[in-house]
């Protein structure tokens, strides 16, 4: 794992955006695995600015999002599909046909997950996977568990994730209790992994990811076994790690 120290959220966002834009500049038809949440918003904003300046072109890029709430349609403002359009896709020249998010509106979990797995596999997996990390060490919606997950699957969200995500909903009861997520094995197929982390509430998870034992109780710890994983984190998120 390579650790890149950033000063604060803005610095972390710029550094993450630099790595993503370098990937797209080096390979114009790159496949990007993308994440939602608060962490990548700054990087998406930066990429939009560089796109507007003409520095980066997304016309041939294909994207594959990590996860989606089960039971939300694409146009639901709380869906990750909506989030990605609002925060990124609607502001760049990506071809809408090249954008992929698990289909949360399909109530048939097995069919929705198998279809998404096939899409990602047929694409040859992704060149670069952007990840945030949960306070409990989750990646995607792969929560602490007895074993590492494999392909796309349905998960029951943990109480801590429901609580953390409730900040984006009016009431905690509104947070969907289930989601479809890429599995850990699918994530590990990415040719490069970029983990972004910011803030003191991530410090413990970041420490466990980098220095703790590799265990499904901290899903992000498996990234220690990836041969090309970069962590970009700010001072607060790296506070528990030795410099
Ligand atoms: C989102 C995702 C999640 C988040 C994680 C951190 O697509 O896969 O694993 O990356 O929950 O969320 P934030 O960035 O909101 O702290």
């Amino acid at each position: 794992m390579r650790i890149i120290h950033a000063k604060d959220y803005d610095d972390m966002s710029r550094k993450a955006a630099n790595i993503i834009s370098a990937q797209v500049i080096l390979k114009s038809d790159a496949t990007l695995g993308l994440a939602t949440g608060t962490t990548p918003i700054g990087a998406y904003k930066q990429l939009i600015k560089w796109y507007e300046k003409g520095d980066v072109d997304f016309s041939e890029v294909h994207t594959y999002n990590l996860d989606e709430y089960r039971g939300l349609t694409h146009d639901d403002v709380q869906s990750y599909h909506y989030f990605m359009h609002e925060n990124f896709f609607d502001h760049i020249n990506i071809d809408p046909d090249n954008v992929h998010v698990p289909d949360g509106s399909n109530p048939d979990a097995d069919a929705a997950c198998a279809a998404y797995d096939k899409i990602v596999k047929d694409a040859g997996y992704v060149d670069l996977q952007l990840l945030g990390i949960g306070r409990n060490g989750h990646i995607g919606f792969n929560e602490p568990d007895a074993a590492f997950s494999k392909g796309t699957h349905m998960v029951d969200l943990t109480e801590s994730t429901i609580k953390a995500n409730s900040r984006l909903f009016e009431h905690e009861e509104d947070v969907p209790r289930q989601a479809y997520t890429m599995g850990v094995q699918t994530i590990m197929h990415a040719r490069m992994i970029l983990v972004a982390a910011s803030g003191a509430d991530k410090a413990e998870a970041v420490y466990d990811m980098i220095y703790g034992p590799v265990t499904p109780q901290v899903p992000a710890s498996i990234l220690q076994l990836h041969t090309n994983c970069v962590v970009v984190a700010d001072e607060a998120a790296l506070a528990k790690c030795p410099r």
Side-chain angles (χ1 to χ4, degrees):
M1 269 180 167
R2 253 175 305 163
I3 319 299
I4 298 178
H5 290 250
K7 213 162 110 342
D8 51 22
Y9 179 81
D10 288 345
D11 190 28
M12 182 276 295
S13 299
R14 266 193 317 275
K15 285 180 163 66
N18 261 304
I19 293 168
I20 298 166
S21 74
Q23 170 67 78
V24 174
I25 290 166
L26 286 168
K27 187 176 179 221
S28 57
D29 61 348
T31 49
L32 302 179
L34 297 179
T36 60
T38 308
T39 310
I41 290 177
Y44 293 151
K45 279 202 176 113
Q46 185 64 69
L47 288 168
I48 292 166
K49 275 193 200 147
W50 287 332
Y51 160 71
E52 286 168 349
K53 278 177 67 187
D55 288 346
V56 54
D57 171 15
F58 293 92
S59 59
E60 293 176 56
V61 168
H62 290 244
T63 65
Y64 301 86
N65 261 80
L66 280 168
D67 43 19
E68 178 60 285
Y69 287 120
R70 180 175 187 233
L72 301 190
T73 55
H74 287 178
D75 53 354
D76 189 309
V77 294
Q78 300 291 3
S79 74
Y80 284 176
H81 187 273
Y82 189 95
F83 173 101
M84 288 308 299
H85 278 272
E86 175 151 284
N87 288 289
F88 194 33
F89 299 148
D90 289 353
H91 310 283
I92 56 172
N93 64 336
I94 195 156
D95 180 342
D97 289 343
N98 293 352
V99 161
H100 306 277
V101 182
D103 183 6
S105 69
N106 185 351
D108 182 341
D110 288 345
C113 294
Y116 199 65
D117 249 1
K118 182 167 165 25
I119 288 171
V120 179
K121 194 171 172 202
D122 288 353
Y125 300 101
V126 299
D127 292 311
L128 186 155
Q129 176 67 57
L130 173 64
L131 296 176
I133 178 169
R135 291 173 212 178
N136 60 4
H138 73 220
I139 49 175
F141 270 128
N142 295 283
E143 303 280 14
D145 205 345
F148 290 111
S149 61
K150 296 192 162 56
T152 305
H153 59 289
M154 188 182 83
V155 287
D156 294 320
L157 304 191
T158 61
E159 274 313 309
S160 84
T161 298
I162 292 167
K163 225 174 209 30
N165 290 8
S166 66
R167 70 191 189 282
L168 303 170
F169 291 77
E170 206 177 332
H171 306 109
E172 196 174 309
E173 309 84 76
D174 300 338
V175 184
R177 268 31 189 184
Q178 291 171 320
Y180 300 147
T181 182
M182 268 189 206
V184 169
Q185 191 179 65
T186 312
I187 292 170
M188 289 293 279
H189 274 296
R191 285 173 281 290
M192 178 181 182
I193 293 185
L194 170 61
V195 186
S198 169
D201 61 338
K202 299 294 174 69
E204 193 150 342
V206 168
Y207 177 87
D208 289 347
M209 167 178 68
I210 303 171
Y211 296 102
V214 175
T215 164
Q217 287 303 317
V218 181
S221 64
I222 195 145
L223 301 174
Q224 291 175 34
L225 305 182
H226 196 280
T227 52
N228 192 12
C229 178
V230 177
V231 179
V232 182
D234 64 13
E235 279 174 12
L238 286 169
K240 289 190 192 299
C241 298
R243 179 83 202 192

